[in-house]
Amino acid sequence: MAKIIDGKAISAQIKEELKEKVAAMKADGIEVTLAVIQVGKDAASSVYVGNKKKACAYIGIRSLAYELEEDTSQEELLALIEDLNGRNDVNGILVQLPLPGHIDEDKVVRAISPRKDVDGFHPQSVGALCIGQKGFVSCTPAGIIQLLKRSGIGIEGKECVVIGRSNIVGKPMALLLLRENGTVTVAHSRTKDLKEVTKRADILIVAVGKPKMITRDYIKEGAVVIDVGIHRNEGNKLCGDVDYEDVLPVCSAITPVPGGVGPMTIAMLMNNCVESAGC
Ligand code: NDP
C-alpha cells in the first residue's frame, strides 16, 4: 500500500515551527516584515496574495500590502521596489507574478535586492543555488525537499528524474536534488522515449503542466512520485500532472492533489521570510 505524503500536515508542522521562531525573534526585538506587491486585480493572483497574507498573520510576520493599479508604469513599480530595498524595516519583498503585459517581469525580478528576494527568482539567488552557496531557494522545489525529508525518504544515491525544466520548478528542483546527492536526470518536451527515462526513477518529480499525463506505465514499481501540477478538470475538481488513481497501486509513496506539494509552497515562502530577517 503506497504511503500518501500529506503536504497539509507537513506544511502545518513547518508553520508551527516558524511561529515559535518568529515569537522568539519578536522577544529579541526583531520584527519579520514582508512587503507584498500586486499590480492589477487578476483573480487568481488576488487569491494567492490573500493566502500569503493569511499565512503571515498566522505566523506573526508583519505584511505590508501594495495593491497597485493595472496601469501602474514600470518606472513607478521599480521606484517602489528601490524604496523597499532601502528600508531597514522590510526584510522580504514579493512581487506577485504575472505582471501586466506592459511591465518587463525580468527587469522587476532583477530589481529586488537578492537579500530580500524571498521568492528566490533573482538570477543571483539562482546562481548561488547552482554553485552551492547561500541564497534564497524557489519555494515549490524547496518544499518538495522538505516533503521528502520529513516523510523519511532518502535522496542520496537515488535515481531522481524531474519532468520539466522551468526556471521556477524544474531547474531549481534538479539542483536541489543534486545538492542532496541524488543522481539527477531532467526530462522535457524534447526528451526521446520519456517512459524509458522515467522508469529509471526511484524518485520521480512531475512538473509537466499537463493534467493526468503520467500514468502507471511511466513508473518503476515502488518509486516515489511527487506531483507538482495543479489543474481544474471538467467537473471543476483539482487534479495534478499524475493520474493519481492509476499510479497509486504501483508506487511506494505519492503526493495527492490537492494536499501535496501545493501547501508547501506558502510554508517555504514563510520560511524564506523568517530567514530574510535572520541574515
Ligand atoms: P512550465 O509550463 O513552465 O514547464 C513545463 C515543462 O514541462 C517544460 O519544461 C516542458 O518542456 C515540459 N513538458 C511539456 N510537455 C512535455 C511532454 N509531453 N513531455 C515531457 N516534458 C514536457 O510549467 P511550470 O514548471 O511552471 O509548472 C508545472 C506544473 O506545476 C503546472 O501544472 C503548474 O500549474 C504547477 N505548479 C504548481 C505549483 C505549486 O505550488 N504546487 C507552483 C508552480 C507550478 P520544454 O521546456 O521543452 O517546453
Side-chain angles (χ1 to χ4, degrees), residues 32-50:
V32 186
T33 301
L34 171 68
V36 183
I37 305 172
Q38 184 181 356
V39 185
K41 291 197 167 58
D42 175 71
S45 289
S46 298
V47 172
Y48 294 137
V49 165

Side-chain angles (χ1 to χ4, degrees), residues 43-240:
S45 289
S46 298
V47 172
Y48 294 137
V49 165
N51 288 340
K52 287 168 189 175
K53 285 190 211 155
K54 259 192 238 157
C56 282
Y58 181 76
I59 289 166
I61 294 174
R62 181 169 74 120
S63 65
L64 307 177
Y66 295 89
E67 284 154 17
L68 310 183
E69 295 298 331
E70 180 85 25
D71 61 358
T72 300
S73 71
Q74 180 168 297
E75 288 63 38
E76 285 170 303
L77 177 57
L78 292 175
L80 171 60
I81 293 171
E82 202 178 315
D83 176 52
L84 294 168
N85 279 341
R87 275 176 60 175
N88 289 331
D89 68 325
V90 173
N91 312 108
I93 302 171
L94 184 151
V95 178
Q96 185 64 44
L97 303 179
L99 289 167
H102 65 280
I103 299 178
D104 179 347
E105 275 185 9
D106 187 48
K107 248 198 176 136
V108 170
V109 167
R110 283 170 185 268
I112 298 169
S113 161
R115 286 190 307 112
K116 302 191 177 188
D117 173 37
V118 286
D119 259 336
F121 294 164
H122 192 286
Q124 191 172 313
S125 308
V126 179
L129 172 63
C130 201
I131 58 173
Q133 288 185 355
K134 205 170 149 36
F136 292 109
V137 177
S138 182
C139 301
T140 302
I144 292 170
I145 296 291
Q146 285 300 313
L147 278 182
L148 293 170
K149 286 190 171 173
R150 290 174 186 247
S151 304
I153 297 164
I155 301 169
E156 184 161 325
K158 298 275 176 66
E159 286 287 340
C160 304
V161 175
V162 181
I163 317 180
R165 57 174 166 179
S166 69
N167 290 337
I168 60 164
V169 186
K171 283 183 197 145
M173 187 72 250
L175 289 166
L176 284 174
L177 290 164
L178 194 59
R179 191 162 87 177
E180 298 295 331
N181 299 316
T183 302
V184 184
T185 306
V186 182
H188 46 78
S189 68
R190 315 287 170 88
T191 298
K192 285 184 188 148
D193 200 351
L194 183 63
K195 284 182 189 165
E196 185 271 321
V197 175
T198 58
K199 280 195 131 169
R200 282 190 243 141
D202 301 312
I203 299 174
L204 178 66
I205 315 279
V206 187
V208 70
K210 302 240 161 25
K212 294 193 178 188
M213 177 179 139
I214 300 304
T215 50
R216 68 169 68 183
D217 41 333
Y218 287 83
I219 311 287
K220 177 168 88 174
E221 182 92 34
V224 172
V225 179
I226 305 290
D227 188 355
V228 187
I230 309 178
H231 313 274
R232 286 211 179 266
N233 68 13
E234 318 77 50
N236 208 31
K237 267 185 73 183
L238 288 174
C239 73

